[in-house]
């Protein structure tokens, strides 16, 4: 009986000792994994480096890369980039003629750029294009109205989709189809637009204070023909064009767009990005 008790106590001590070592080792591994976990914005940067490695004008990433980047973007929260809705970026003052928009530059190279637009309530980014670019946008918080368009390119040859300049107008107008015209409230899925479709031209209007994380691949470049152009939009029914006929029930889905010279309704200030820093390897 005494020998059995001694053996049992010894086995108990050995069992407890192994368990403590195992638990300690497991905890250590978990701690190391936590220490190695990269900030979400760093993961976004590294994913962009891979996805846009071959980016140039007109580049569209393969579907698996689009899904990968969309997944990383979808996981980013305002706190991951150092933002809160109560920050000064998202307030307006009575002295401002138009709500001032702040742009937080995170990173840019010739292949892609990352940045955040901070819009106070009623802030507007006017209708503009993204020539030859694929753009991912993630609404971090707030509610935003998005209206986007693509050029109409599939009309029959006998149906003109351009109104040439005349005595009453100095710039041509081109027919576009509305792709999106709706409010979006975070959290929601990232949006993606492509060089030729998906709503390559869009306008943002802040319903509430909101922040949008943008990834552009490749970024704007005047020297490479990727110039940002802004537009006025007009209802389809405002102009009559010989040879162009659209069913009455579909007319609201089409509008005329005309390049604009002045941007009196836009004020964007660049601000320092104070979130987690990008580490380039």
């Amino acid at each position: 009986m005494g020998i059995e008790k001694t053996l049992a106590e010894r086995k108990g001590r050995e069992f407890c000792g192994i368990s403590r070592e195992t638990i300690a080792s497991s905890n250590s591994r978990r701690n190391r994994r936590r220490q190695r976990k990269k900030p979400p914005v760093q993961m976004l940067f590294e994913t962009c480096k891979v996805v846009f490695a071959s980016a140039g004008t007109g580049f569209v990433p393969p579907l698996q890369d689009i899904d990968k980047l969309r997944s990383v973007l979808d996981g980013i929260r305002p706190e991951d980039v150092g933002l809160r809705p109560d920050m000064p970026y998202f307030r307006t003052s009575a002295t401002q003629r138009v709500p001032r928009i702040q742009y937080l530059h995170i990173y840019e190279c010739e292949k892609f750029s990352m940045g955040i637009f901070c819009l106070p309530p009623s802030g507007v980014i006017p209708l503009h294009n993204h020539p030859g670019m694929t753009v991912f946008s993630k609404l971090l918080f707030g509610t935003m109205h998005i209206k986007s368009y693509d050029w109409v390119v599939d009309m029959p040859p006998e149906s003109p989709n351009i109104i040439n300049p005349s005595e009453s107008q100095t710039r041509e107008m081109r027919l576009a189809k509305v792709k999106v015209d709706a409010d979006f409230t975070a959290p929601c899925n990232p949006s993606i637009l492509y060089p030729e479709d998906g709503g390559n031209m869009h306008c943002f209007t802040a319903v509430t204070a909101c922040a949008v994380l943008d990834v552009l691949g490749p970024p704007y470049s005047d020297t490479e023909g990727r110039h940002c152009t802004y537009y006025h939009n007009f209802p389809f029914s405002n102009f009559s064009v010989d040879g162009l006929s659209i069913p009455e029930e579909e007319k609201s889905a089409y509008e005329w767009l005309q390049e604009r010279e002045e941007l009196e309704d836009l004020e964007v200030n660049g601000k320092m990005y104070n979130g987690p820093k990008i580490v380039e390897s």
Side-chain angles (χ1 to χ4, degrees):
M1 190 71 169
I3 293 174
E4 292 172 354
K5 183 178 180 181
T6 301
L7 289 174
E9 289 174 351
R10 183 185 301 167
K11 288 180 180 179
R13 285 195 300 270
E14 290 172 355
F15 179 80
C16 291
I18 292 171
S19 297
R20 282 193 296 269
E21 291 168 3
T22 302
I23 293 171
S25 176
S26 177
N27 287 340
S28 178
R29 286 196 296 270
R30 280 198 295 269
N31 288 337
R32 286 198 297 271
R33 281 198 295 269
R34 277 196 288 264
Q35 291 169 0
R36 287 197 300 265
K37 189 175 181 180
K38 297 174 181 176
V41 72
Q42 180 70 28
M43 293 174 61
L44 177 62
F45 166 73
E46 294 180 4
T47 303
C48 287
K49 281 185 65 176
V50 174
V51 170
F52 294 113
S54 303
T57 302
F59 173 78
V60 176
L63 182 59
Q64 63 269 24
D65 285 348
I66 289 174
D67 289 341
K68 183 188 306 180
L69 183 48
R70 177 165 38 200
S71 177
V72 173
L73 262 179
D74 195 40
I76 294 181
R77 302 292 177 260
E79 56 269 25
D80 296 327
V81 289
L83 287 181
R84 301 185 316 276
D86 62 353
M87 298 175 82
Y89 303 143
F90 306 104
R91 295 197 292 265
T92 56
S93 70
T95 60
Q96 293 175 5
R97 188 174 57 85
V98 295
R100 184 178 297 128
I101 296 166
Q102 314 290 350
Y103 178 73
L104 311 181
H105 172 81
I106 299 176
Y107 179 84
E108 182 170 341
C109 64
E110 64 178 10
K111 299 295 185 181
F112 67 93
S113 66
M114 299 163 48
I116 302 170
F117 286 99
C118 302
L119 291 79
S122 301
V124 176
I125 300 178
L127 180 61
H128 62 284
N129 68 347
H130 307 82
M133 300 153 67
T134 298
V135 180
F136 294 73
S137 297
K138 164 70 174 178
L139 183 61
L140 295 171
F141 64 80
T143 297
M144 173 179 285
H145 186 88
I146 299 176
K147 190 169 186 179
S148 67
Y149 306 78
D150 285 321
W151 294 122
V152 172
V153 295
D154 55 356
M155 299 292 286
E158 65 273 12
S159 298
N161 59 1
I162 293 177
I163 300 178
N164 293 314
S166 64
E167 292 182 1
S168 60
Q169 57 169 32
T170 58
R171 291 176 176 267
E172 72 174 24
M173 288 187 290
R174 187 174 172 185
L175 189 62
K177 186 170 186 179
V178 178
K179 300 293 289 188
V180 174
D181 188 7
D183 287 352
F184 293 84
T185 299
C188 56
N189 294 329
S191 65
I192 308 173
L193 60 85
Y194 302 97
E196 302 296 336
D197 59 19
N200 185 274
M201 298 162 289
H202 64 201
C203 171
F204 289 166
T205 303
V207 179
T208 68
C210 54
V212 184
L213 172 56
D214 264 0
V215 174
L216 282 60
Y220 288 108
S221 171
D222 288 345
T223 58
E224 296 184 16
R226 297 189 299 273
H227 175 69
C228 184
T229 302
Y230 291 86
Y231 299 91
H232 290 296
N233 60 307
F234 303 94
F236 175 81
S237 56
N238 276 22
F239 301 93
S240 177
V241 180
D242 292 339
L244 178 59
S245 177
I246 292 177
E248 189 66 34
E249 66 274 12
E250 297 180 17
K251 287 183 178 180
S252 62
Y254 293 87
E255 295 186 8
W256 296 102
L257 304 189
Q258 182 184 49
E259 289 186 22
R260 56 187 296 187
E261 298 178 359
E262 302 296 329
L263 284 175
E264 65 281 352
D265 56 350
L266 176 64
E267 184 177 350
V268 179
N269 289 350
K271 292 289 185 180
M272 183 70 69
Y273 164 71
N274 291 317
K277 301 304 179 186
I278 298 295
V279 178
E280 297 186 60
S281 55

